[in-house]
Amino acid sequence: MELLYSMGHYFMLAASSNPQEGEPWFFEPFFAYLVRRWDRILVMTLEHFELILVATAIAIAIGVTVGVIISYYEPIAYPVINVTQVLMTIPSIAMIAMLIPLFGIGFNNGVAALVLYMLLPLVRNTYTGIREIEPAVLESAKGMGMSELRVLTKIKLPLALPVIMAGIRVAVVLGVGIGAIAAYIGAGGLGSLIFNGIERVNYPMIWTGAIFISIIAIVLDLILGWGEKRLYRY
Amino acid sequence: MVIKLENLTKIFQPGDAPAVDNLTLEVDEGDTCVLVGPSGCGKTTTMKMVNRLIEPTDGKIYVENEDVSKKNPIQLRLNIGYVIQEIGLFPHMSIAENIATVPRELRWPKQKIQERVDELLSMVGLDPELFRNRRPSDLSGGQRQRIGVARALSADPPLMLMDEPFGALDPITRSYLQNEFLRIQEKIKKTIIFVTHDIDEAIKMGTKIAIMREGKLVQYATPDELLSAPADEFVVNLIGGNYSIKRLHLIRVEEILKEPFTVSPEDSLDEAKEVMEKSQLELVLAVNGEKHLEGLVTPSSLRKEGERVGDVMDTPDLTVDSGATLNDALSVMLTNGEGYALVVGDENRLQGVVTLNAIMEALQDNEK
Amino acid sequence: MRNKWVKRSIYIAILLAIFVGYPWYNIANPADATVARGLMPENVIKYGQDHLVLWGAAILVATAIGVAAGILISRPQFRFVAPVVVNIANIGQTVPSIGVLAIFMGLLGMGFSTAVFALIVYGILPILRNTYAGMITISPGIIEASRGMGMTPYSILRRIELPLALPVITAGIRTSSVMIVGAATLATFIAAGGLGAIIVTGLSVMRDQLFYTGAVMAASLAILLDYILWIIEEEAQA
């Protein structure tokens, strides 16, 4: 009951346009904050992008390689995918803490944690993408005398690309959100705004962090989704 | 159970051409009324208005003189069997649960439901022990369709609606199930509204055929009348000429059966020879005391070594069941290159022989 | 059959042993007084309890609301709002978990009940989305067959639609559960306790034994809960 009451109270405040009735709590301070600290927000946005970019690049390299390898060694495919699935269920702050002995505190730790979370969609999609290719296609490629390496690079990977791309998309959107937590151990990015905002009880700061992270995720999702659709053309 | 459709009209979107246009139709008790026509002619829409899956824009439907629009749709539907193509089976339920759907809605006691399920499975020719607990995905298309029929019959509704029930099956299975359904219908005597786009199926299954085009009724007649007096060019085209061949779908083998010449497997070969001379067919059938068909004796089998008929007889192939049409019998003859087909009833009981000559005679009689 | 359950029991036992044994060992062998203070048994138990209650309450309420709302927007009368709701759910999903907690702190103040509330809202989204997706992918032919046979709308929902959508719904509940366990670890930032508290304390006093204990407990609990839900999912499908 108390919960509902206080929620209602806040919404009433939000709705009231008359400043005398209560402090304006959302739009005015939010935009004021954006205008005042736009340079800092920009830097953090760039940091966030940097974190995602580096982590995605490494995760693609590892994830696609692992996906390709397990497509050749069927018996280890499910165990490997299961391990990546278990990694994904670990709470992010616990993951970051457990990586400290290896990567210390800061950017590297954030990248490592993100890479581990991104593995599942990449490994799984690479594997299924290759597995789902028509056997007849592969047979005819081999029949034409292509070496296994050429079959992989010229036939398998290009045909699996749309599915891998879908995995990249899931991984990136996931990474944007988890990147916020990495800010806690000094990996930088927009998550710092949320953590600092909580500490200083500065709501415009929290909202800025949350909204900007959400926008980045949506924009990247749209761009990658568009790219994925183009790949599906043939 | 008499069904009357009165000035039935359905317009889906205002401004669109009516899907069903001022349709008036009466189906008598025990009749199988087949609605037939090209896709988009409104046949399925008409049928779905009977159990109120679609509400008419105008006009009335009376089932046993009761206006269906005044009845509770749930109660109405529980009293109407509904068979659609195999997609209508529930994939997550066992065969028994599928068949028990309506009885469960009617809150029958468990024991009664179980008995009914087994009874129906046997009726459609599936062994309850084997099939009760299987899932629809374990069954072939033909078996699924039998379950669809059994499910519709579960609460013994006086009226059945069948929407292209055999549409998704291959021609052989389809013809087989059609015959079987005709045999079941002979016993249960339901009033049936049957939708199909296949005129041959209509002629075979229907006691009355309603030909529809663009929502309107073009002709409503018995199959015989339809073939001898098609109402207009459209009907002629739908039937597709060659009436003699169409008639093959219309006449059942039962109507032209010849009494077979039979011997017992215990009889001696001389006795068999004697019987064969009496027949003009060079064909004698071996049956046991209860007229179960045991074997086939031809001149070539008589040349074999042996003392009794049972030693030399061949396994009887070339059989059709008693519900089969002349078309079925003819196709059996043609595939085997023989001039006869054996007609068997329940439990492989011999009923007679159909010959090529008899088929030709029957068609000539009909021309007159 | 037996074999399957033996394997499952062993797996659960291992995870439980880690979840209990690791902190037990560290409580018994603290490196220094700071660690000992951070690992007072009653605190550790309290944080573990918090974590489970946060998760349990949030997943139960989120399932109830998510499934109900998913069913509601899949009804023909409400289907026109479905794209809007699903889009809002998708957008809401992109807000990071710490952001959701922080935003609710702004609305409701700090504390345990705020965290429960935030986790519920956060957890509803995947359940709602999957329930709706599971409902609308059922073949219309099946629904029409059941209507045509005279089943009531309630029977159709209970006997046909829900059982057919169940695998998709349980997958949604599992996704939601993973998200809630992870977010519950962050509840400590808005003073709602949970196993995250041990990690955060450990990080702020830089005692790796301390934050390791918290991290291992949080991770093993998350894996354990997900595994149990996976078993339920498997059994529900069989």
Side-chain angles (χ1 to χ4, degrees), chain C residues 13-100:
Chain C
I14 292 173
L15 284 168
L16 267 177
I18 296 172
F19 179 67
V20 177
Y22 192 77
W24 194 299
Y25 175 81
N26 284 325
I27 289 169
N29 308 287
D32 59 25
T34 318
V35 175
R37 234 187 344 272
L39 286 180
M40 287 200 297
E42 60 269 30
N43 280 351
V44 175
I45 290 169
K46 166 108 185 26
Y47 289 140
Q49 253 174 17
D50 285 351
H51 210 95
L52 274 171
V53 172
L54 276 174
W55 172 80
I59 194 70
L60 280 180
V61 180
T63 301
I65 298 177
V67 171
I71 291 171
L72 197 68
I73 61 169
S74 70
R75 298 302 92 184
Q77 305 91 297
F78 294 105
R79 218 167 257 193
F80 68 99
V81 296
V84 181
V85 175
V86 171
N87 268 321
I88 290 175
N90 284 341
I91 290 172
Q93 200 93 83
T94 61
V95 179
S97 45
I98 183 71
V100 175

Side-chain angles (χ1 to χ4, degrees), chain B residues 226-245:
Chain B
L226 198 72
L227 290 171
S228 50
D232 62 11
E233 197 67 11
F234 176 75
V235 178
V236 173
N237 284 333
L238 193 70
I239 298 170
N242 216 340
Y243 297 139
S244 305
I245 290 190

Side-chain angles (χ1 to χ4, degrees), chain A residues 15-29:
Chain A
S16 71
S17 53
N18 190 339
Q20 260 109 48
E21 281 183 47
E23 290 279 305
W25 70 279
F26 183 64
F27 290 106
E28 265 179 63

